[in-house]
């Protein structure tokens, strides 16, 4: 079992295991912890202590990367509660239709090369993301809503991909 399987990432940062958290406070705490655990501080230590410092720094980095990403944080919370298959098919017909609409919009935006339209699309995606995050925060602690929480986390993953594709489109349009 890896350290990341045994250690609670939230407790490393002195946080309660909740979905909504203050990302700026998380970053401040990370910098403080990283400064204290940085392997360079153990340059004169024994080889075993240096190796341990490297492992602690890696674990801290993993924890921070997981908690700072809302999608990764949601998946982590779900895994803390119960096993979460990496790949699964969740029936979400309503969102499937929405995905198809967004994909069509993105294709249209690629053809139009209209920066204002891209900005409006990003706002639309951001509003959808906010609604999903809010809904996830409301249901993550209710075991009877586990399926809904998983569905919302999968929606978050899709939106992360859409935001990535929009950034790629913007870069192509800038060229």
């Amino acid at each position: 079992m890896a350290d990341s399987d045994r250690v609670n990432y939230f407790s490393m940062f002195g946080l309660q295991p909740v979905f909504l958290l203050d990302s700026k406070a998380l970053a401040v705490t990370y910098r403080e912890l990283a400064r204290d655990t940085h392997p360079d501080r153990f340059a004169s230590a024994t080889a075993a202590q240096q190796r341990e410092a490297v492992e602690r720094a890696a674990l801290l980095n993993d924890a921070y990367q997981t908690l700072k990403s809302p999608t990764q944080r949601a998946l982590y919370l779900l895994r803390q509660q119960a096993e979460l298959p990496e790949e699964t098919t969740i029936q979400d017909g309503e969102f499937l239709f929405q995905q198809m609409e967004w994909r069509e919009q993105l294709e249209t935006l690629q053809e139009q090369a209209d920066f204002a339209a891209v900005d409006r699309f990003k706002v639309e995606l951001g509003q959808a993301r906010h609604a999903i995050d809010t809904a996830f925060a409301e249901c993550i602690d209710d075991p009877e809503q586990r399926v809904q929480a998983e569905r919302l986390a999968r929606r978050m993953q899709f939106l992360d991909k859409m935001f990535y594709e929009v950034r790629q489109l913007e870069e192509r349009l800038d060229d």
Side-chain angles (χ1 to χ4, degrees):
M1 178 179 283
D3 282 343
S4 59
D5 294 334
R6 292 180 292 184
V7 176
N8 182 313
Y9 288 167
F10 289 97
S11 65
M12 290 177 67
F13 289 87
L15 299 169
Q16 293 297 313
V18 294
F19 178 67
L20 298 177
L21 56 78
D22 182 344
S23 60
K24 290 180 182 173
L26 177 69
V28 168
T29 303
Y30 169 72
R31 285 191 294 274
E32 291 170 0
L33 293 171
R35 188 176 39 246
D36 294 341
T37 60
H38 196 281
D40 287 351
R41 293 182 53 115
F42 300 89
S44 60
T46 66
Q49 290 171 325
Q50 289 176 354
R51 187 175 45 255
E52 187 177 307
V54 169
E55 290 171 0
R56 278 196 314 266
L59 181 61
L60 179 64
N61 286 335
D62 287 345
Y64 179 63
Q65 295 303 318
T66 298
L67 296 184
K68 83 174 188 177
S69 161
T71 301
Q72 293 307 310
R73 188 170 55 244
L75 294 168
Y76 180 75
L77 284 167
L78 288 167
R79 287 188 190 103
Q80 293 295 100
Q81 293 176 345
E83 187 174 331
L84 181 65
E86 289 299 321
E87 294 293 327
T88 185
T89 302
I90 293 179
Q91 301 299 324
D92 193 354
E94 175 188 333
F95 194 65
L96 180 60
F97 183 72
Q98 180 63 67
Q99 289 177 32
M100 291 177 356
E101 283 187 358
W102 282 331
R103 290 252 175 245
E104 288 176 14
Q105 281 183 268
L106 189 59
E107 286 178 22
T108 301
L109 290 170
Q110 289 176 6
E111 295 166 6
Q112 293 175 339
D114 179 351
F115 285 101
V118 172
D119 287 342
R120 287 190 299 275
F121 186 58
K122 286 171 34 182
V123 169
E124 180 182 341
L125 293 176
Q127 290 170 340
R129 178 59 196 239
H130 178 73
I132 291 169
D133 287 358
T134 301
F136 183 86
E138 291 172 359
C139 74
I140 183 61
D141 294 324
D142 182 353
E144 292 183 14
Q145 295 191 46
R146 169 79 184 190
V147 172
Q148 177 64 4
E150 288 183 24
R151 182 177 296 128
L152 292 166
R154 302 294 180 206
R155 288 180 180 187
M156 290 177 193
Q157 290 179 304
F158 175 80
L159 279 171
D160 285 352
K161 290 177 189 169
M162 286 299 295
F163 280 115
Y164 175 75
E165 290 177 25
V166 169
R167 282 192 303 275
Q168 287 183 317
L169 172 61
E170 289 176 316
E171 288 175 13
R172 283 193 302 272
L173 294 177
D174 280 340
D175 291 339

